[in-house]
Amino acid sequence: MAKVTTKYVCTSCGYQSAKPLGRCPNCQAWNSFEEEVPVAAVGRARGGGAYGGIVGGKLTALSTVGRREEPRLPSGIPELDRVLGGGLVAGGVTLIGGEPGIGKSTLLLQVADRLGRSGASVLYVAGEESLEQIRLRADRLGVTADIQLTRDTRAEHIAALMAEHKPALCIVDSIQTVTVEGDGTPGGVAQVREGTAMITRAAKETGTATVLVGHVTKEGTVAGPKVMEHIVDTTVFLETVGSFRLLRSVKNRFGQAGELGVFEMRGEGLVAVENPSAAFLAERPVDVPGSVVAATIDGQRPMLLEVQALAAKTPYPNPRRVVVGLDPRRVDVVLAVLERRLDLTLGGLDVYVNLAGGLKVADPGLDLPVALAVYSAVVGRALPQNVAVFGEVGLAGEVRSTQGALRRAEEAGRAGYKQLIVPPGLDGREGVRSVEQAVGLIWKSRGNE
């Protein structure tokens, strides 16, 4: 009989160890290891060669495989369909993660209502709330569709309901409450993994678009083994930025990952923000030094954001550099370029750089906006109101091209920004080749030079 070996698995990241550890060496989580007894390995047969006489499966040449477009199921919320790549996919499994109370259940109940009113059947598995609580939320959101509800969170029963009723959409809220017959507690490594696999198989067999709600850890990742994220087809995260909710796709087998949707939480639920650039620039001050409109890309979505800078005489021996929403190391590089290439004195100044709105964006195209914002704050000259900027800054002070330059320029044009300070070679524009040239171009146009 084959020997059964016990292993210990981290519930946060899925790291495996032969013995329990106080702290996971992979994700640094404390007391996160649970015991798991794997299925005993099947012993090799004595005859038939090295693999016990097992015959390999059938091979299929790629050239003989037909092409098929996966049917899409529009959710009724265009901003969500944008993130998903066109809508929910029949038979596809989507995992949505986010902090408690951020609006995951609210968004999915809105989707269920829109699909239900269009004639599609919806199955809602309530693992964390009572049916009465869901009814109260539905009344608050104005849900009128007759959604089918169940409190049965056993994976075998959920799969049986999907096979029997074949709903167009199945929502499981949440996957951590799903149990599988056998050993283990709900939310454990084995339970979450097996439950996800069983529901995924049922979704593929019945053609049901399935959405799983997942808890997140303190680090913001989906709780449970990483294999759960590998099983599903799409993974999206809902996060809070100021007064907005951002829905971001990090994995999508049926579309492009990195898409971003912007919502606002209101009394009637999550409402899509059709023009995020206007929303993030709504409170931008007029004619204030240190304020620059930057054309950036977050994931795959172009947006206009405000880069703010402030320079003040320091009372400390070592000047402070405070950066919010941007990569501090890239900002340090830009400040060094300003001191070396433009002879801008920053040694006795505290410099504060902020990306207004609460977003955190790692985009090299924000280098030039940061440079102009800091220069504007130090010399006390405001930029013109109709100027938008983007470009990467090199150590020689040169301005380099950035990813998605044309989309950035188009977004700025739609927002009414007539003058663009951009790298050379964009859509026939001459552009600027250095930070010094950008500074001269802007303040020369204002009559200051």
Side-chain angles (χ1 to χ4, degrees):
M1 182 176 178
K3 181 180 179 181
V4 178
T5 305
T6 300
K7 61 181 178 180
Y8 296 85
V9 183
C10 174
T11 58
S12 295
C13 66
Y15 180 85
Q16 298 182 5
S17 173
K19 60 181 180 180
L21 303 176
R23 186 176 188 179
C24 176
N26 185 45
C27 68
Q28 309 303 318
W30 288 94
N31 301 321
S32 60
F33 280 86
E34 288 187 1
E35 182 180 358
E36 180 179 349
V37 180
V39 179
V42 179
R44 295 178 179 175
R46 293 189 176 182
Y51 295 97
I54 298 176
V55 179
K58 180 182 177 181
L59 298 177
T60 303
L62 176 62
S63 58
T64 64
V65 178
R67 297 178 177 85
R68 184 185 66 181
E69 283 291 333
E70 297 293 340
R72 293 279 183 175
L73 183 65
S75 66
I77 303 177
E79 199 73 2
L80 175 60
D81 290 340
R82 173 195 180 100
V83 175
L84 296 177
L88 296 163
V89 177
V93 180
T94 301
L95 175 65
I96 177 171
E99 298 176 355
I102 199 172
K104 302 184 296 298
S105 301
T106 298
L107 177 62
L108 294 179
L109 198 56
Q110 291 177 255
V111 173
D113 179 48
R114 283 162 172 75
L115 288 178
R117 284 187 290 176
S118 68
S121 58
V122 179
L123 171 63
Y124 195 107
V125 180
E128 298 185 348
E129 296 177 306
S130 66
L131 301 185
E132 290 75 17
Q133 287 176 307
I134 296 177
R135 178 59 188 268
L136 289 175
R137 179 185 290 116
D139 292 341
R140 188 181 76 249
L141 299 176
V143 174
T144 58
D146 198 10
I147 304 168
Q148 300 299 313
L149 306 175
T150 179
R151 285 275 296 159
D152 194 342
T153 56
R154 289 169 290 184
E156 298 87 353
H157 291 201
I158 296 173
L161 288 172
M162 294 170 66
E164 179 182 356
H165 299 281
K166 291 183 172 56
L169 173 65
C170 177
I171 298 172
V172 180
D173 188 5
S174 66
I175 188 60
Q176 276 80 12
T177 63
V178 173
T179 59
V180 181
E181 188 173 343
D183 295 334
T185 57
V189 176
Q191 290 281 311
V192 171
R193 183 179 61 233
E194 296 302 325
T196 302
M198 187 173 297
I199 294 175
T200 299
R201 286 195 299 269
K204 303 297 182 185
E205 293 171 358
T206 61
T208 300
T210 305
V211 181
L212 309 178
V213 177
H215 296 309
V216 296
T217 63
K218 293 183 294 183
E219 291 76 21
T221 59
V222 176
K226 277 293 180 182
V227 69
M228 179 175 66
E229 296 184 51
H230 295 307
I231 294 174
V232 300
D233 300 305
T234 305
T235 303
V236 298
F237 284 94
L238 193 62
E239 58 189 67
T240 302
V241 173
S243 60
F244 301 102
R245 302 288 194 272
L246 301 185
L247 186 66
R248 192 187 308 273
S249 69
V250 297
K251 171 190 175 182
N252 194 347
R253 289 175 178 164
F254 304 112
Q256 192 170 19
E259 289 288 352
L260 181 71
V262 183
F263 297 85
E264 186 178 2
M265 179 63 81
R266 299 179 184 173
E268 61 270 26
L270 285 175
V271 179
V273 178
E274 297 181 357
N275 190 349
S277 297
F280 283 113
L281 294 177
E283 301 179 8
R284 185 190 175 218
V286 178
D287 285 331
V288 174
S291 175
V292 175
V293 174
T296 184
I297 287 186
D298 190 350
Q300 299 293 334
R301 184 161 194 169
M303 288 190 299
L304 300 182
L305 301 174
E306 181 190 4
V307 175
Q308 298 176 328
L310 178 65
K313 186 177 180 180
T314 180
Y316 306 104
N318 297 319
R320 293 196 298 175
R321 303 289 185 255
V322 180
V323 180
V324 179
L326 298 161
D327 186 352
R329 292 172 296 183
R330 296 199 70 91
V331 174
D332 287 340
V333 169
V334 172
L335 297 182
V337 169
L338 289 176
E339 284 194 294
R340 182 66 175 173
R341 305 302 177 188
L342 274 73
D343 295 327
L344 188 67
T345 303
L346 300 174
L349 299 175
D350 289 334
V351 178
Y352 304 86
V353 180
N354 175 45
L355 189 62
L359 278 172
K360 295 182 179 180
V361 181
D363 177 19
L366 291 172
D367 289 352
L368 186 57
V370 169
L372 295 179
V374 172
Y375 188 92
S376 170
V378 172
V379 302
R381 298 174 179 175
L383 274 76
Q385 290 298 304
N386 63 343
V387 173
V389 185
F390 67 87
E392 182 181 357
V393 174
L395 293 180
E398 78 279 14
V399 177
R400 297 170 174 262
S401 60
T402 58
Q403 177 188 7
L406 186 57
R407 284 185 291 161
R408 299 172 194 249
E410 291 174 347
E411 179 68 18
R414 281 194 295 266
Y417 288 86
K418 300 179 181 179
Q419 184 180 1
L420 294 178
I421 306 299
V422 299
L426 171 63
D427 197 21
R429 294 182 174 89
E430 182 179 354
V432 294
R433 299 185 178 277
S434 66
V435 178
E436 185 176 5
Q437 183 183 358
V439 169
L441 179 62
I442 289 178
W443 280 281
K444 183 177 180 180
S445 65
R446 300 210 71 183
N448 291 326
E449 291 189 5

